[in-house]
Amino acid sequence: MFRRRRSEDVSWDLPNESEDGQGLADDEPYDEPAEDDWPAEPPRAEGGPWDAGETFPARERVDLGSLQVPMGPEHEIQLVMADQIGVWVTIRHGESEMQVQAFAAPRRGSLWEDLRAETAREVREAGGESWERPGPFGTELVARVPAEQGQPASGQQIVRFVGVDGPRWFLRGLFIGPAASGGEPASLLEEIFRDTVVVRGEQPVPPRDILELRLPLEVQQAIEGQQAAAAEENRFRTDLNPFERGPEFTETR
């Protein structure tokens, strides 16, 4: 099942910076560095996540623009919106959920090692603690964080960050609930993460910028149809009540 919902919570976002640490203005042009300027890219975990240019197993996936996410009867997919822009995809299974985001990355090099260190610092500054461990996608970061971000008194919960560097993209997964501990509760969500397809596109995008997420075409068309029908209905709607007294004027001569 696919749903759309608006963002209510702040996720752990990647800093929107260039590789030298300097912020990029929204209207500043970006050209990717020459290929030789970056070290060789480490290999991805076997079996995915997949790049759209690769050969990958055929299965039913929902097209969300930069991400094609496997569908199935056991889990629910939500595109989380903020200011009419897709910011991340949430996959729910039982009491667990996984938030998935795809980011632009340099043609060469790895983001995950630096981002683990930055995320660990953010967790520490938020009043939590974190540690690294090996996982099915390589080194992952497990953290104990406030149950409600920014509110240490809300108690703590375990979350788990995984990351995969692909060709000019980086895919991050955040596991919440029982799946944060790994093992059987995480198996289905890990399978979905591994079988997700990233559509990077050819346009230049600054490293760490979120790759565009959008509603599936059929969902967007349905929403536009509903909006058009509502607008047509409002054309003939009147707020005048024939049994309600209107404004009265007193004329003095």
Side-chain angles (χ1 to χ4, degrees):
M1 179 182 294
F2 173 78
R3 297 179 185 271
R4 178 186 68 158
R5 70 179 176 92
R6 298 190 63 81
S7 171
E8 298 174 353
D9 304 308
V10 178
S11 68
W12 297 91
D13 295 323
L14 300 187
N16 184 14
E17 298 177 348
S18 60
E19 289 302 298
D20 60 1
Q22 300 298 315
L24 291 170
D26 292 340
D27 57 354
E28 182 179 342
Y30 171 74
D31 294 320
E32 288 193 350
E35 187 170 315
D36 293 340
D37 292 343
W38 297 95
E41 177 185 315
R44 275 180 292 144
E46 282 188 26
W50 309 98
D51 182 79
E54 298 173 332
T55 300
F56 49 84
R59 64 179 296 180
E60 186 178 12
R61 296 178 175 88
V62 59
D63 185 353
L64 300 174
S66 63
L67 293 177
Q68 296 178 5
V69 181
M71 301 178 68
E74 297 180 316
H75 62 276
E76 179 181 289
I77 301 171
Q78 296 179 335
L79 176 58
V80 181
M81 311 288 290
D83 298 326
Q84 304 301 314
I85 298 174
V87 289
W88 70 79
V89 179
T90 294
I91 297 95
R92 296 183 183 278
H93 172 60
E95 298 179 356
S96 296
E97 72 174 50
M98 174 179 64
Q99 296 178 3
V100 182
Q101 289 176 298
F103 300 85
R107 190 177 300 275
R108 293 277 184 173
S110 169
L111 289 180
W112 183 218
E113 184 173 354
D114 290 341
L115 294 174
R116 286 200 311 274
E118 293 175 16
T119 302
R121 184 182 66 247
E122 292 178 4
V123 167
R124 186 170 59 252
E125 292 173 350
E129 59 179 336
S130 64
W131 57 95
E132 294 186 355
R133 72 180 187 189
F137 303 99
T139 303
E140 56 189 38
L141 185 72
V142 182
R144 185 177 288 110
V145 300
E148 296 183 25
Q149 194 162 336
Q151 300 184 28
S154 63
Q156 292 191 322
Q157 64 175 338
I158 298 292
V159 298
R160 172 180 163 226
F161 299 88
V162 302
V164 173
D165 289 289
R168 300 171 61 229
W169 52 258
F170 168 74
L171 188 66
R172 185 187 65 176
L174 169 59
F175 293 80
I176 302 171
S181 299
E184 181 58 31
S187 58
L188 177 65
L189 295 178
E190 289 174 352
E191 175 191 340
I192 293 169
F193 187 82
R194 188 179 296 280
D195 218 6
T196 292
V197 177
V198 181
V199 184
R200 168 60 176 81
E202 295 303 322
Q203 70 277 14
V205 181
R208 303 188 181 204
D209 270 16
I210 296 176
L211 297 180
E212 180 185 3
L213 289 168
R214 60 176 182 269
L215 292 169
L217 179 60
E218 59 273 19
V219 175
Q220 185 62 47
Q221 290 175 339
I223 292 174
E224 292 173 354
Q226 293 173 357
Q227 292 172 340
E232 184 69 15
E233 181 180 346
N234 288 337
R235 277 185 58 199
F236 303 101
R237 179 180 175 182
T238 175
D239 292 327
L240 295 178
N241 185 339
F243 302 103
E244 181 179 330
R245 295 180 64 177
E248 298 181 357
F249 300 91
T250 302
E251 181 180 4
T252 304
R253 293 181 182 274

